[in-house]
Amino acid sequence: MDYGTLLQLLDSTIRLATPLLLASLAGLYSERSGVFDIGLEGKMLVAAMCAGAVAFYTGSAWVGALAGIFGSLIFALVHGVTSITFRGNQLIAGVALNFLASGLTVLTAQALFGQGGRTPPLEGAARFNPITLPLADALQGLPVIGPFYREVISGHSILVYAAFGIVALTWWVLYRTRYGLRLRAVGENPAAVDTAGIKVNNLRFSAVMVTGVLCGLAGAYMATALQAGFGKEMTAGRGYIALAALIFAKWRPVQAMYACLLFGFFQALALRPDVVEAVMRVKVPVPFLDALPYILTVIVLAGFIGKAIPPRAGGEPYVKER
């Protein structure tokens, strides 16, 4: 494998890891607060449909992204009311939202466009187009570093750079702010937080809403940047992969970024069977390569890669003591 092919593979890794990263960070906020969210998939799917449809009608990717965030927030609100206000089972609520999103998005897209549950292709300003970073062209002639900067670092949409910026922001919020301290505490010992005069349910609701925003960005990225429109079941299990990455990272933002890049790399490999065959010198079935990210997901969730201990109060509705 030559250097040019490696750069193409790394470029694809970043593009494919971005929705996983946004969804993983979304789950981090919710689960750190003690609300397990298996409904990341559904929120991303609704956001992708809303973003694709609105971007097509308005011709603006930004308006589409806002619509995607709004759609995801509605699902996040439903999940919050079900799990926090009415103290329902968080996992069942998340699964129900996934099934609802799966049917609702196709039905809505079919009713709006009549194209088999997909939106028409997005063009021009209706998509987030690649951005060329400063000095990318000027440094291209430098050995190794120049092509790496030009082909891998530069040339992504603004949502890609925003996703990696949110990693740093999430680390700062969790470990350097009062809100982050309270968020981590409410996921471990909500009674102690309540004793300190902090409203547990309000704090959990805020985390669930942040989850909705980030899932909205993930879905909008898929429909308006990674692809040119919404398609049936286009998330293809990415919400579950993001959840596996979060568990793999043990609910830490920087480690979640590395885990998502690893999953993105496996997805990129699935698109380049020629590279795998050249390296391994054996023909590998394409369906096996397509299944690699999901195989890794099963391995992580089965606990084969270290023991991941979730927040102690995770999955348990908080009942205020009288």
Side-chain angles (χ1 to χ4, degrees), residues 16-31:
L16 294 169
T18 296
L20 301 179
L21 178 57
L22 288 167
S24 187
L25 293 175
L28 186 147
Y29 278 96
S30 179
E31 299 202 0

Side-chain angles (χ1 to χ4, degrees), residues 284-300:
V284 180
V286 174
F288 175 77
L289 294 177
D290 291 334
L292 274 179
Y294 305 100
I295 293 173
L296 183 58
T297 301
V298 172
I299 291 174
V300 170

Side-chain angles (χ1 to χ4, degrees), residues 60 87 165 168 208 214 227 260 302 305-306 321-322:
S60 170
R87 302 168 190 162
V208 169
L214 294 180
Q227 300 183 31
C260 289
I305 306 179
E321 297 181 0
R322 299 292 181 182

